[in-house]
Amino acid sequence: MTSTARARIDLDAPGPTINRHIYGHFAEHLGRCVYGGFWVGEDSSIPNVRGIRLDVVEALRAIDIPNLRWPGGCFADTYHWRDGIGPRGSRPKMVNTNWGDVVEDNSFGTHEFMDLCDLLGADAYVNGNVGSGTVQEMADWVEYLTRGDDSPMARLRRENGRDEPWRVPFWGLGNEAWGCGGNMTPEYYTNLARQFATFAKNHGGNVLERIAAGGSDDDVRWTRVLMESAMSSHAPFPSPPPFQSISFHYYTHSGTGIATDPATEFSSAQYFRTLAAAADMERIIRAHEEVMDAYDPERTIGLVCDEWGTWWQVEPDTNPGFLFQQNTMRDALVAGIHFDVFHRHAARLRMTNIAQTLNVLQAMILTDDDGGLVLTPTYHVYEMNKGHQDAASLDARLVEVPSWDDADEPLPLLSLSASTKDGTALLSFSHLSADEDMEVTVDLRGREASVTRARVLTASVPTAHNTPADPDAVAPVPLETTIRDGALVLRLPAHAFATVELALA
Ligand code: AHR
């Protein structure tokens, strides 16, 4: 069976630029994301650069990774940066109380993280400790990282082998202050965020985008309290907002809560409920935007979603505290749907960070200790979509589409978005039907265009995933398309993600 859908794209009306940081990443000290993931140590038999796993770096460079958030998550509010500098053999150990209660040796610290960012060509997003740290500790960390002269912290950095300051564009003011970050109220946290932000200074030419930790899902109470405070001047002199962005987190599951369903076994109802939950990101972002627009119509404060993705049960026989899960075609569609939403909200949304890059939750890459590496279906969505980074968003609308109607809100079985850059356009399609093909006709509204490349990511079943034994079970292949009567026509298989690149005449 084949269904049909019609859409329309206005290629001549570029909208707001899709910030490349919408394709951002997140590496927490959690399970095997950092230790045994990025960091294998200099003595490992796995090829590495100064202890950092080389094949991981190469795979992430290939998707143009724009930034990396570190060291957490919940871990960030327990992390004391001074424990992670100086000779590795003399660094104190610490207990990772959030994730597995394991003892870490602090061999991956500030210098190693900044080295990783350099190797990746990614901007650093350092998340400071508000929950159990001090204002002075955070102020010193910023100075240590970014100051160039002979200040006390710059001198300490030089003693540890790094002469030049680093560039650190993004600075987080704690994490999930409503929970693991300190169980605070929004009012209490907002005051702390103002205080910590005040002493996280811009040194030399380094300008920090300070990101206040906000609420979860559609809890806009946090957004409201933070916005009200940011936009009102408390000083006798007019003062700029103490933080430049506000974040929120949203995890996707199939309706029974995080960590309750397996990653690779699910019913058709669970499949659709998951995709409907992913599409709900639209409503959630709108809710935060509405509050922000009321205080800040000029959009001086940015919205950041610095944790998103699917959260399934851990794989059998793995540590429950390590959040290691497989990644199927369903996860790829979750990513595709999220990006369509993110592109539509490019005007306010400055950054997002999928949780997490390696071996944790909805990962790009799964590695093992023997040197094996698997690219997940989600990785391929990032690769196929990378042309949207810093492109102008386009108005892409569904005109006619079948839907899945077994929920309060019907779920359209096609999601799409488009962008344009340098005389080209990139169109992304997530086709959600579990078992039918779909013929999609996209009206290009009179604009002449030719297809330069079209690819599709799919598999025989939505539960398909990549393993060391079958690493390309889900991998992109060429897709046939035609341009007919001013419209792009493509046939999408069931549960498929596709991209079409156009040259514009
Ligand atoms: O990404 C895993 C955890 O989820 C993060 O540490 C925390 O911020 C969130 O609850």
Side-chain angles (χ1 to χ4, degrees):
M1 291 275 287
T2 302
S3 68
T4 55
R6 289 193 304 118
R8 145 180 131 204
I9 294 183
D10 218 331
L11 292 161
D12 286 321
T17 299
I18 297 167
N19 196 317
R20 70 178 185 284
H21 293 292
I22 281 178
Y23 283 80
H25 283 264
F26 175 29
E28 179 163 14
H29 288 230
L30 194 179
R32 292 187 308 106
C33 184
V34 172
Y35 293 109
F38 281 110
W39 180 252
V40 290
E42 286 165 320
D43 299 333
S44 171
S45 58
I46 298 173
N48 67 84
V49 185
R50 296 179 291 279
I52 295 167
R53 198 168 156 159
L54 189 56
D55 52 1
V56 167
V57 167
E58 283 166 354
L60 292 173
R61 285 190 74 100
I63 58 172
D64 293 349
I65 174 174
N67 70 63
L68 190 59
R69 177 178 185 242
W70 172 85
C74 295
F75 179 83
D77 283 303
T78 64
Y79 184 63
H80 300 282
W81 68 273
R82 279 192 173 81
D83 295 345
I85 56 171
R88 283 193 205 111
S90 336
R91 296 183 192 174
K93 292 193 165 53
M94 69 170 292
V95 180
N96 190 332
T97 49
N98 283 292
W99 306 116
D101 208 33
V102 290
V103 174
E104 299 189 2
D105 66 3
N106 271 310
S107 51
F108 190 90
T110 298
H111 290 247
E112 291 77 14
F113 172 67
M114 295 308 297
D115 194 16
L116 171 61
C117 288
D118 283 348
L119 291 170
L120 293 170
D123 282 344
Y125 173 5
V126 176
N127 199 9
N129 180 347
V130 171
S132 70
T134 65
V135 176
Q136 188 63 50
E137 182 183 1
M138 187 186 287
D140 286 349
W141 201 8
V142 177
E143 183 185 319
Y144 184 90
L145 279 156
T146 61
R147 199 164 170 99
D149 58 13
D150 193 31
S151 79
M153 289 301 115
R155 193 178 281 202
L156 179 60
R157 184 189 65 238
R158 282 195 195 96
E159 283 167 21
N160 289 325
R162 169 78 186 196
D163 183 24
E164 290 297 309
W166 287 285
R167 190 178 148 262
V168 178
F170 303 111
W171 195 270
L173 302 164
N175 174 74
E176 294 189 353
W178 43 265
C180 64
N183 284 308
M184 302 174 198
T185 63
E187 290 76 14
Y188 182 74
Y189 170 74
T190 298
N191 284 335
L192 283 187
R194 296 184 67 92
Q195 186 188 1
F196 276 72
T198 303
F199 295 95
K201 300 285 186 194
N202 292 336
H203 294 283
N206 190 74
V207 178
L208 293 177
E209 167 135 356
R210 298 165 193 79
I211 301 169
S216 202
D217 307 352
D218 58 0
D219 183 358
V220 295
R221 223 165 24 116
W222 284 75
T223 311
R224 187 170 295 117
V225 175
L226 282 161
M227 282 305 291
E228 180 161 5
S229 174
M231 299 313 287
S232 55
S233 185
H234 291 260
F237 309 108
S239 58
F243 36 82
Q244 289 70 46
S245 282
I246 293 175
S247 80
F248 74 100
H249 294 170
Y250 177 59
Y251 284 100
T252 298
H253 51 80
S254 56
T256 48
I258 56 167
T260 52
D261 291 329
T264 57
E265 284 166 35
F266 45 86
S267 65
S268 160
Q270 286 170 317
Y271 165 80
F272 282 116
R273 280 206 300 268
T274 303
L275 301 178
D280 201 32
M281 181 61 112
E282 180 91 48
R283 180 188 63 81
I284 289 167
I285 291 190
R286 270 212 200 111
H288 291 286
E289 278 175 347
E290 244 169 55
V291 172
M292 296 179 84
D293 288 351
Y295 291 96
D296 172 33
E298 304 296 321
R299 302 195 185 105
T300 51
I301 305 280
L303 182 63
V304 165
C305 177
D306 50 16
E307 286 185 30
W308 65 269
T310 53
W311 193 322
W312 307 123
Q313 272 174 14
V314 296
E315 292 305 308
D317 304 322
T318 64
N319 186 328
F322 281 12
L323 311 189
F324 176 74
Q325 68 188 38
Q326 250 295 357
N327 192 296
T328 66
M329 194 56 226
R330 175 177 65 166
D331 296 86
L333 292 171
V334 168
I337 293 168
H338 273 63
F339 283 127
D340 292 339
V341 175
F342 295 158
H343 298 161
R344 283 194 281 279
H345 293 271
R348 177 75 79 174
L349 193 66
R350 290 197 188 151
M351 185 196 292
T352 87
N353 308 77
I354 192 166
Q356 301 190 3
T357 309
L358 219 58
N359 295 331
V360 169
L361 298 177
Q362 189 175 350
M364 306 297 107
I365 300 174
L366 306 177
T367 64
D368 61 41
D369 297 342
D370 301 326
L373 174 146
V374 165
L375 303 178
T376 65
T378 300
Y379 174 93
H380 292 301
V381 173
Y382 273 74
E383 190 278 318
M384 292 164 76
N385 252 8
K386 70 182 181 183
H388 288 302
Q389 294 189 24
D390 289 334
S393 54
L394 289 169
D395 187 10
R397 285 176 193 224
L398 292 166
V399 179
E400 188 189 301
V401 65
S403 56
W404 177 73
D405 292 329
D406 271 10
D408 300 344
E409 285 288 315
L411 172 70
L413 291 180
L414 183 69
S415 168
L416 87 161
S417 64
S419 69
T420 184
K421 183 164 59 178
D422 305 330
T424 66
L426 175 61
L427 282 50
S428 299
F429 302 87
S430 295
H431 175 220
L432 314 184
S433 167
D435 44 23
E436 284 190 345
D437 288 4
M438 177 183 272
E439 184 173 276
V440 183
T441 305
V442 185
D443 179 0
L444 301 178
R445 300 181 61 75
R447 183 65 197 261
E448 269 190 50
S450 56
V451 176
T452 50
R453 191 182 198 196
R455 290 183 293 163
V456 64
L457 182 76
T458 190
S460 53
V461 285
T463 52
H465 52 281
N466 296 332
T467 61
D470 193 2
D472 292 321
V474 189
V477 293
L479 173 72
E480 276 198 24
T481 59
T482 42
I483 302 254
R484 202 191 298 150
D485 301 331
L488 169 73
V489 182
L490 52 149
R491 192 188 178 98
L492 295 172
H495 45 79
F497 175 77
T499 49
V500 178
E501 296 168 35
L502 299 177
L504 304 178

